[in-house]
Amino acid sequence: MKPIRRVLIVGGGIGGLSLAVALGRRGIQAEIVEIKSEHNVYGVGIIQPGNALRALNGLGLMERCLAEGLQIDYYVMNDSDGGFIARMKLLRIASPDIPAVNGLPRTALHRILTETANALGARIRLGLSVQALEQVGDEVDVTLTDGSREKYDLVVGADGIRSRIRTLLFGSQFDPQYTGHGVWRFTTTRPAEIDHQIMYFGVGVKAGIMPVSKDQMYLLLVTNEPGNPRFEAAQLPRLLRERLQSFTAPLVRQIREQIEDPARVIYGPIEEVIIPSPWYRGSVLLIGDAAHASGPHVSQGATMAIEDAVVLAELIAEGEGAEKTLARFMERRYERCKFVQDISHQIGQDGNLDDPVLCELRNERMRAAFQDPQPRPHERRLAEPI
Ligand SMILES: Cc1cc2nc3c(=O)[nH]c(=O)nc-3n(C[C@H](O)[C@H](O)[C@H](O)COP(=O)(O)OP(=O)(O)OC[C@H]3O[C@@H](n4cnc5c(N)ncnc54)[C@H](O)[C@@H]3O)c2cc1C
């Protein structure tokens, strides 16, 4: 089979742009089609753990992300009254000299990736998507939504949790599954002393404070939302305030007082996409959330999308055909992404227990576990080379 030279990336989000950068660094100019007609992204922050920083370093982007972000090295875990449970020092994965985690506004990450992809010659077309795909020999014949047709050696569906490419490949078989939890976020000003993440574990509810830049942090709230309700935007501040009612921790109380503007509150159901290996058919592959969306509990969704991009570009540059490249991609990515999904699911269930006795036992377990300063097994696993 011929080497992969012409790559179409569907979706200009974190995974798609990272892939364009990774290919550009290896001399391959990818094409992106992005359904949105403008480069924009939700204005909430993103947490970049050490393995994200390591992958971004491979793309030559870590320094820029660090310069625009806020670095942190530990979490504090409290109960809903602010009572101390444990302090967790995080593993420095990228390098012993680089703090464990970087908090960054999503808009900054998007800008950094877009500027770099453009500078490396990627062709990014906005307001465009894929209408149909057909494998013809070694190539994929793609019909775009503007009616034009083009042939590619590889098509990569990086079109997120509601991926059209996934539907074209697999129908509705692997549609997102609702976990029973919803996540609320409210961005506010960061006081100087909030230089670490703080989690508050209540009964049936978990809050967090995430610094995401020198000036900003966000409040996160994970709630049990039976039946996957939909809420009107105008109601979001009131609903969030109600759901924070049981928290008496002073910082959460202070932030709760500020929640008024619907434009500053974001709510979404937590959903997962679980597809058995392989995530491709012919020369069409899914990466990122399209293939393996997980809950936000270990801040690894975007990280996995960036790692997917780094590994895929490395394999493409080796010059094999699509069949071998995609099989090797699955060997390197499937177990790792499955591990992240499983651990995130487990932490999500544990964090939102609604039986007070089980919650007390959970808090005791955390107290005991984090006495040990050694990195936790999941951090050691994430530190392994990709
Ligand atoms: C509340 C919350 C908090 C999170 N926090 C973190 C965190 O702190 N750290 C972390 O690592 N991860 C986090 N994640 C996960 C992270 O946001 C996702 O895993 C990440 O955005 C996935 O990147 P992606 O490129 O696969 O998809 P996306 O970033 O969703 O990008 C998909 C792109 O495809 C485009 N698109 C969609 N459909 C089409 C189409 N038909 N044709 C063309 N383009 C299309 C979209 O417009 C979008 O630009 C969080 C997720 C949630 C829900």
Side-chain angles (χ1 to χ4, degrees), residues 12 45 78 170 176 209 255 306 323:
N78 294 326
F170 299 108
I209 309 288
I255 298 174
I306 300 169
E323 197 178 326

Side-chain angles (χ1 to χ4, degrees), residues 128-194:
L128 199 58
S129 182
V130 167
Q131 187 62 44
L133 298 164
E134 191 187 352
Q135 182 85 33
V136 183
D138 284 355
E139 294 176 328
V140 188
D141 190 347
V142 179
T143 308
L144 296 171
T145 44
D146 63 1
S148 62
R149 280 177 69 174
E150 294 181 47
K151 288 200 167 109
Y152 296 90
D153 302 319
L154 178 68
V155 175
V156 180
D159 49 347
I161 192 160
R162 313 221 171 272
S163 167
R164 166 152 179 83
I165 301 302
R166 185 181 62 231
T167 305
L168 288 174
L169 293 189
F170 299 108
S172 59
Q173 204 184 349
F174 303 118
D175 280 358
Q177 295 172 22
Y178 179 50
T179 57
H181 304 147
V183 57
W184 306 73
R185 285 170 294 166
F186 173 76
T187 303
T188 186
T189 310
R190 181 183 76 89
E193 67 275 15
I194 306 300

Side-chain angles (χ1 to χ4, degrees), residues 11 13-15 34-36 47 106 129 159 185 288-289 299 301-303:
I14 296 172
E34 162 59 49
I35 200 162
K36 284 188 284 198
I47 303 296
R106 271 183 193 252
S129 182
D159 49 347
R185 285 170 294 166
D289 275 9
S299 307
T303 309

Side-chain angles (χ1 to χ4, degrees), residues 18-143:
S18 297
L19 180 59
V21 171
L23 289 170
R25 296 273 186 229
R26 292 171 184 277
I28 299 171
Q29 292 174 345
E31 293 182 35
I32 294 183
V33 289
E34 162 59 49
I35 200 162
K36 284 188 284 198
S37 50
E38 280 173 32
H39 280 298
N40 63 20
V41 74
Y42 270 141
V44 188
I46 190 131
I47 303 296
Q48 302 184 306
N51 55 319
L53 294 175
R54 177 178 66 185
L56 287 161
N57 200 23
L59 299 180
L61 299 177
M62 182 182 74
E63 295 302 335
R64 280 188 72 186
C65 291
L66 292 175
E68 295 203 33
L70 185 89
Q71 291 84 57
I72 59 181
D73 255 337
Y74 68 98
Y75 280 13
V76 170
M77 283 169 280
N78 294 326
D79 60 28
S80 53
D81 300 334
F84 179 76
I85 299 177
R87 185 180 193 275
M88 183 172 93
K89 189 167 169 15
L90 300 161
L91 182 62
R92 291 185 167 196
I93 293 177
S95 140
D97 312 326
I98 295 169
V101 168
N102 186 47
L104 188 69
R106 271 183 193 252
T107 44
L109 178 61
H110 202 72
R111 174 172 36 78
I112 291 168
L113 287 169
T114 307
E115 281 173 11
T116 313
N118 276 323
L120 290 167
R123 180 184 181 209
I124 304 178
R125 284 180 286 171
L126 299 174
L128 199 58
S129 182
V130 167
Q131 187 62 44
L133 298 164
E134 191 187 352
Q135 182 85 33
V136 183
D138 284 355
E139 294 176 328
V140 188
D141 190 347
V142 179
T143 308

